[in-house]
Amino acid sequence: MATIADALQDVVADVASDELDLLAAVTHSFYGSDVSRRATVRGILLGKGRDAALGFGAVEAGQLVASLALIILNGVATNVLSGYAEHQINDLGRWLASRRLARQLTSAAPAAEATPLPKLTPGEAAAVGELARQLAHSCGLSTDTGTRLSITLAAKLMEDPTGK
């Protein structure tokens, strides 16, 4: 069964292989400290990825893709993003929706290595992928990186979690 850690490894290998060596540190920081997790989530979701992710600037530290992918995979595994495809966010409600989502995504699964990912429908996976693309853009990642992250995450989230 695919776990958060398995999917994170695959996504980062595909999108930002230079961040692979940092996965253990990113995962440990996210699951090991509520303060670091809140800083990471707030920084990325509220568009402060350059300054706030992991408390010291994930872009400069070279781990923004890993941090963003981990937040999204954790959100899927903890059902925070379930039904995300049904929520249409207009421009007026985008700020409030981002803040609400940032609060919700600070909930962590018990451990990345032990938490399975559910299989999403194509519509749900596409919506989560689009969220990843938007967040990547707001954090200052290139359009190409955001698009690759979106496609890779959506594909990974549609895989059969049993490996069949």
Side-chain angles (χ1 to χ4, degrees), residues 9-160:
Q9 176 83 24
D10 292 348
V11 169
V12 172
D14 218 33
V15 178
S17 60
D18 56 319
E19 296 184 24
L20 281 171
D21 292 341
L22 303 169
L23 283 183
V26 169
T27 304
H28 175 74
S29 180
F30 186 83
Y31 289 103
S33 166
D34 291 343
V35 172
S36 290
R37 184 172 47 258
R38 279 193 299 274
T40 300
V41 171
R42 290 181 56 82
I44 288 177
L45 266 71
L46 302 179
K48 301 173 186 168
R50 292 188 185 275
D51 302 322
L54 293 181
F56 53 81
V59 170
E60 290 78 9
Q63 59 197 34
L64 187 55
V65 171
S67 297
L68 179 53
L70 179 56
I71 289 169
I72 291 171
L73 292 168
N74 181 76
V76 169
T78 58
N79 292 318
V80 169
L81 294 177
S82 65
Y84 185 79
E86 299 164 11
H87 300 293
Q88 298 298 321
I89 301 172
N90 60 29
D91 288 337
L92 184 59
R94 192 171 307 281
W95 182 81
L96 287 173
S98 294
R99 294 186 89 57
R100 182 173 52 248
L101 188 58
R103 279 193 309 274
Q104 293 169 336
L105 284 174
T106 58
S107 299
E113 297 80 18
T115 305
L117 283 172
K119 179 180 177 185
L120 300 185
T121 67
E124 291 168 332
V128 171
E130 177 58 19
L131 172 65
R133 190 194 62 72
Q134 290 172 5
L135 292 174
H137 175 74
S138 72
C139 291
L141 288 171
S142 71
T143 301
D144 179 57
T145 300
T147 301
R148 285 185 13 239
L149 180 61
S150 172
I151 292 167
T152 304
L153 274 170
K156 182 57 66 180
L157 292 170
M158 288 187 297
E159 285 182 4
D160 186 347

